[in-house]
Amino acid sequence: MSFVWTLAEQHEGRLKAVSYELLGRGRALADKLDTKLASLLIGDGVSDEQLQTLVHHGADEVYAIQDPRLASFTCETYSNVLVHLIKTYRPSVILAAATSTGRTLMPHVAVRSHAGLTADCTELDIEPGTGHLLQTRPAIGGNIMATIKTPDHRPQMATVRPKSSRPLPADPTRAGRVIEVPLDLVLVDERVQARGYRGDAVDFVNLEEADVVIAGGRGMKKAEHFALLQGLAKALGGAVGATRDAVDRGWIGYPHQVGLSGKTISPRLYVGAGISGAIQHLAGIKTSETIVSINSDPDASLHQVADFGIVGDLFQVLNELQRRLDERRRGGEEDRA
Amino acid sequence: MHIIVPIKQVPETSNVKMDPVTGTMIRAGVGTVVNPLDLFAIETAVRLKEAHGGRITTLTMGPRGADKALREAMAMGCDDGVLISDRAFAGSDSWATSYTLSQAIRKLGDFDLIVAGERATDGDTGQVGPGIAAWLDLPLATYVAAITRVEPARGLTVERLVEEGYQVVDLPFPALITVVKEVAAPRLPTLRGKKRAKAAEIPLFTAADLDLEPSYLGLKGSPTKVVKVATPKVTRGGTLVRALDEDAVADAVDQLLAFLDARDLLPTGGRA
Ligand SMILES: Cc1cc2nc3c(=O)[nH]c(=O)nc-3n(C[C@H](O)[C@H](O)[C@H](O)COP(=O)(O)OP(=O)(O)OC[C@H]3O[C@@H](n4cnc5c(N)ncnc54)[C@H](O)[C@@H]3O)c2cc1C
Ligand SMILES: Nc1ncnc2c1ncn2[C@@H]1O[C@H](COP(=O)(O)O)[C@@H](O)[C@H]1O
């Protein structure tokens, strides 16, 4: 029986949330194909208890390949491990997250396995009758949706946009097996050496995995005003994004840039303040669940794609919003007290 | 040092407009440009050459007219351009593209580094760079935001922009890196560079010039097949509240909060 596989991701021994999103996707596919769902973890230091949570979120089997040499991602060794597992077990579908790791590893493995790979999918389904995986993704800056399949090659591989679906609720009664697979040392390629992270990695903005992104554009007028967005991001439990214009003016760093030449995000809530909504910016936010726009220009393009727009001065609106959120928080604290 | 820069010619998205009625892209009159994200790759190569000497070969697989993209890259400082063009390559997906490019690169002979763009703005896969590394078995670093050390003939140290921060990685030459915007701001072509590029001979590699497995080429050789293309709806039919007058702001924020609450998007701890 050809399984559906999802690749779990870890950082410093902790499973990343996207691992569970993939399991939700994989579960639906495995059920339609009447096969089993396995989750693979390549990494180090992930506890048995955490591996069990992959079962709780939908996996029938969990394969954990753990070794200190796998602690940090290097493409060559991870690719050797995955190619070897594919040869041994012949899965029919492999899903990975469209993260920096997934988008590096999967094309490498696809070439070596002579498999088709579709990037950054937002919808997945099984074609009735043939059982082929239908992979749908935004292309040309989100202006079209292309559906792709791989009829003659196996495995069928896809990377999936983080946050584009929600994980299944955890079910601690679900049964499944966790299997530790030892790392075969011939698979270790030492040409590329990971040396850890640059010192300023603390509090690094992980926009792709944020549930809420508060983004600012040229309408923010100066760097200091981004503090307004930081405050709101804090109150709403999110991160701060920006347009290329704001980044190029030096108001905020490139890791915050959203759009064609920056990050593609799919948060539950995106709020854009002082952003016109140029096509290159929209390319990075179109699959957000809810879009809110604050812009004084009623004709701003961002207003056209927003679920809720306020035509107004962003400074007045954001300050009022912050005040009201603070009030609610204090109210909540008093309620609990 | 010999550096190879694969670039792609893409439709110029900055001029793309959407038809408000049909919701489709208006393609008429849209020109082509060098993939904007490849400009960072070109700039990276030119800076490495300026610092360490050597030469840069840029190559592209595309229609015959794609020499225009190569000439733009040469005007920015690449020494040579190679056009890879043949009907047999039409319709290649990232698997077939990276195969064909790899075989062309093999033909070019020795090199130290391949610098590719992070992704092309049309296909938007970002799969060709890692694919070439797999075909040629080259050490790979993607999402490179900075090159912090270069030891000619030995290797380099780069910083990869990933979700957790900047991952520091050492690679030996020959290697392949893909770069992001932060790596270097692209220069404008000089007049002299433009003149030189205009006059340059650009060798053409067709299928017959390369050692290729025919079943790996073009649409037929591509494992992935596009089965449907649809246009998503452009507007969400959202609510637009006017609050240009300061007095209206409080009410607009009220409505926004109610809207967010209804969608369960506010922190639960603070529900009053
Ligand atoms: C190849 C290429 C790649 C690109 N990549 C990206 C990318 O990755 N990300 C990206 O964002 N852009 C990208 N761009 C740039 C993009 O085309 C736009 O130039 C950019 O998004 C505009 O940024 P903005 O909305 O901040 O500025 P503007 O377009 O200048 O918009 C500012 C908005 O603020 C509003 N405003 C001003 N003051 C106030 C106020 N007090 N209250 C409320 N509203 C106010 C104005 O009405 C206006 O709509 C790219 C362009 C190209 C050609
Ligand atoms: N047809 C092509 N010719 C040359 N280089 C290409 C081609 N397609 C892609 N590339 C390179 O691969 C990178 C990623 O492209 P893609 O995988 O198509 O998103 C680009 O930025 C280029 O550096």
Side-chain angles (χ1 to χ4, degrees):
Chain A
M1 185 167 43
S2 296
F3 286 15
V4 173
W5 286 2
T6 63
L7 295 190
E9 278 193 36
Q10 59 95 37
H11 179 67
E12 293 176 344
R14 288 190 57 83
L15 287 178
K16 294 209 222 167
V18 70
S19 314
Y20 305 110
E21 293 164 28
L22 291 175
L23 281 169
R25 299 275 199 175
R27 186 70 261 162
L29 302 177
D31 288 346
K32 284 196 179 173
L33 290 169
D34 198 17
T35 186
K36 284 191 175 169
L37 174 64
S39 187
L40 264 66
L41 173 87
I42 306 174
D44 190 39
V46 177
S47 66
D48 260 5
E49 211 179 341
Q50 279 192 79
L51 293 172
Q52 281 296 343
T53 63
L54 295 170
V55 172
H56 300 163
H57 282 93
D60 299 307
E61 294 183 358
V62 175
Y63 297 94
I65 307 93
Q66 302 213 65
D67 188 280
R69 280 161 284 215
L70 300 172
S72 289
F73 172 70
T74 53
C75 186
E76 294 72 21
T77 302
Y78 272 51
S79 172
N80 287 342
V81 170
L82 189 53
V83 168
H84 176 74
L85 290 168
I86 290 170
K87 278 202 186 116
T88 314
Y89 297 103
R90 311 209 156 274
S92 71
V93 173
I94 307 181
L95 307 181
T99 51
S100 61
T101 294
R103 290 190 85 163
T104 304
L105 175 62
M106 292 286 271
H108 201 270
V109 169
V111 159
R112 298 174 66 195
S113 307
H114 204 162
L117 169 63
T118 304
D120 206 19
C121 297
T122 54
E123 286 163 44
L124 295 167
D125 204 353
I126 300 294
E127 188 175 56
T130 64
H132 295 317
L133 179 67
L134 295 175
Q135 310 156 73
T136 302
R137 64 179 304 253
I140 324 205
N143 293 311
I144 62 163
M145 297 295 286
T147 301
I148 290 159
K149 68 178 175 184
T150 314
D152 308 317
H153 296 260
R154 292 294 179 271
Q156 306 162 88
M157 298 174 50
T159 59
V160 182
R161 186 172 291 185
K163 294 277 160 202
S164 63
S165 71
R166 302 234 204 129
L168 299 169
D171 173 2
T173 65
R174 262 189 65 87
R177 293 194 301 157
V178 175
I179 302 138
E180 299 274 354
V181 183
L183 171 67
D184 184 344
L185 293 188
V186 304
L187 301 177
V188 176
D189 182 337
E190 292 186 318
R191 288 178 297 172
V192 177
Q193 289 291 329
R195 302 274 180 222
Y197 289 81
R198 205 170 83 184
D200 55 4
V202 259
D203 285 340
F204 196 77
V205 37
N206 189 346
L207 274 189
E208 293 98 324
E209 286 172 34
D211 277 323
V212 177
V213 173
I214 315 289
R218 190 148 71 117
M220 295 300 297
K221 306 235 166 40
K222 36 168 122 150
E224 295 75 60
H225 293 154
F226 272 76
L228 264 172
L229 304 182
Q230 299 284 4
L232 277 172
K234 202 161 167 228
L236 291 167
V240 174
T243 63
R244 186 179 82 169
D245 231 88
V247 170
D248 286 353
R249 280 161 204 271
W251 295 348
I252 191 163
Y254 172 66
H256 297 266
Q257 184 179 318
V258 175
L260 194 69
S261 48
K263 290 175 176 169
T264 305
I265 57 171
S266 202
R268 288 198 62 207
L269 171 63
Y270 163 95
V271 180
I275 293 177
S276 60
I279 197 160
Q280 295 88 357
H281 186 73
L282 296 184
I285 64 159
K286 272 203 176 148
T287 56
S288 303
E289 210 173 290
T290 296
I291 296 178
V292 172
S293 169
I294 302 161
N295 195 312
S296 48
D297 175 3
D299 298 324
S301 302
L302 190 61
H303 279 324
Q304 319 291 305
V305 301
D307 299 285
F308 195 99
I310 297 182
V311 181
D313 176 67
L314 73 91
F315 299 103
Q316 293 173 8
V317 173
L318 294 183
N319 280 319
E320 175 68 7
L321 184 60
Q322 182 76 54
R323 200 181 61 75
R324 296 289 303 275
L325 286 170
D326 289 347
E327 219 173 77
R328 286 165 69 100
R329 202 194 59 234
R330 277 196 303 273
E333 276 162 11
E334 272 157 30
D335 278 358
R336 275 193 301 279
Chain B
M1 197 146 68
H2 183 202
I3 306 171
I4 293 175
V5 185
I7 63 171
K8 190 176 186 191
Q9 192 179 48
V10 298
E12 195 176 11
T13 53
S14 46
N15 289 341
V16 170
K17 296 259 156 23
M18 300 302 288
D19 184 322
V21 181
T22 61
T24 54
M25 231 164 71
I26 304 169
R27 278 171 174 275
V30 175
T32 58
V33 290
V34 174
N35 171 27
L37 307 196
D38 291 348
L39 299 179
F40 308 119
I42 297 166
E43 180 65 31
T44 302
V46 174
R47 288 192 188 184
L48 286 172
K49 180 184 127 176
E50 283 169 351
H52 305 282
R55 70 196 168 91
I56 305 167
T57 307
T58 179
L59 47 90
T60 192
M61 181 178 105
R64 290 291 155 101
D67 69 298
K68 179 172 156 258
L70 296 172
R71 289 183 204 279
E72 273 179 61
M74 291 168 78
M76 284 174 67
C78 296
D79 300 278
D80 300 300
V82 174
L83 177 63
I84 304 151
S85 187
D86 198 302
R87 279 238 176 90
F89 305 148
S92 297
D93 72 356
S94 59
W95 193 94
T97 301
S98 60
Y99 171 69
T100 307
L101 288 172
S102 304
Q103 291 307 93
I105 290 168
R106 278 187 211 276
K107 189 179 159 102
L108 292 177
D110 285 345
F111 60 89
D112 299 280
L113 185 65
I114 300 175
V115 188
E118 178 207 339
R119 55 196 154 90
T121 54
D122 57 348
D124 198 14
T125 79
Q127 292 174 178
V128 168
I132 296 172
W135 282 111
L136 299 176
D137 191 25
L138 295 170
L140 167 68
T142 49
Y143 303 96
V144 168
I147 299 175
T148 53
R149 177 191 69 103
V150 178
E151 267 184 72
R154 305 276 311 254
L156 72 170
T157 302
V158 300
E159 294 179 356
R160 303 178 62 225
L161 177 57
V162 299
E163 291 79 4
E164 288 77 23
Y166 293 90
Q167 188 196 23
V168 182
V169 172
D170 289 340
L171 305 100
F173 289 129
L176 187 149
I177 61 173
T178 74
V179 295
V180 296
K181 170 183 163 177
E182 212 174 10
V183 76
R187 70 194 61 199
L188 292 171
T190 59
L191 200 60
R192 224 179 86 221
K194 276 188 186 165
K195 273 197 185 137
R196 200 184 62 81
K198 202 172 162 208
E201 272 304 321
I202 294 196
L204 170 72
F205 290 1
T206 64
D209 299 314
L210 299 172
D211 178 16
L212 296 168
E213 163 57 48
S215 68
Y216 288 5
L217 304 181
L219 191 63
K220 272 217 172 90
S222 295
T224 59
K225 313 284 178 203
V226 177
V227 290
K228 197 176 96 192
V229 172
T231 311
K233 66 172 188 341
V234 274
T235 63
R236 297 182 173 217
T239 318
L240 202 58
V241 178
R242 287 181 169 266
L244 281 168
D245 192 342
E246 193 165 358
D247 297 340
V249 168
D251 182 52
V253 169
D254 253 348
Q255 290 186 50
L256 173 61
L257 285 168
F259 169 84
L260 295 176
D261 231 351
R263 293 203 173 193
D264 198 19
L265 288 166
L266 293 177
T268 42
R271 191 110 3 122

